[in-house]
Amino acid sequence: MSDYVRKPRRKYCAFCKDKVEYIDYKDANMLRKFMTDRGKIKPRRVTGNCAQHQHQLSIAVKRGREMALVPYTVPVVSGKVDGRRGR
């Protein structure tokens, strides 16, 4: 093993850094940054959010889903064409 071990960089909450007090559910572009391509909410360890803002974010995403601003899920696209494999 090498002597040099790289420490991972500490993630900081983007909302605390910008001093955001309220996460708006109508801002769909901002909410999508914190969601996977399948429509799931990314966890805190990935986004670096604090617990308070992660909770507010999850509520905002759920409200956005209810208002049809962000999707619940995204359909899976397979490589099959008419029951055959794509060639």
Side-chain angles (χ1 to χ4, degrees):
M1 274 194 155
S2 66
D3 295 328
Y4 175 74
V5 178
R6 183 174 171 220
K7 274 180 130 176
R9 241 178 113 175
R10 173 113 167 92
K11 295 178 183 149
Y12 292 101
C13 179
F15 300 110
C16 288
K17 190 169 79 173
D18 296 337
K19 296 185 172 100
V20 173
E21 292 183 17
Y22 176 72
I23 300 174
D24 192 13
Y25 70 91
K26 293 172 281 202
D27 190 0
N29 291 330
M30 185 271 301
L31 294 178
R32 284 181 189 257
K33 287 194 291 188
F34 296 98
M35 296 172 66
T36 64
D37 57 341
R38 299 291 177 107
K40 294 183 175 182
I41 302 170
K42 289 182 184 177
R44 276 183 61 199
R45 61 185 163 76
V46 174
T47 61
N49 290 337
C50 64
Q52 177 185 4
H53 285 117
Q54 182 70 19
H55 181 70
Q56 290 176 1
L57 177 74
S58 67
I59 290 172
V61 168
K62 290 170 187 177
R63 283 184 183 160
R65 285 175 178 163
E66 190 71 24
M67 299 291 176
L69 300 173
V70 291
Y72 280 97
T73 58
V74 178
V76 178
V77 178
S78 66
K80 293 184 178 182
V81 179
D82 297 329
R84 298 177 291 165
R85 291 187 181 232
R87 292 182 188 173

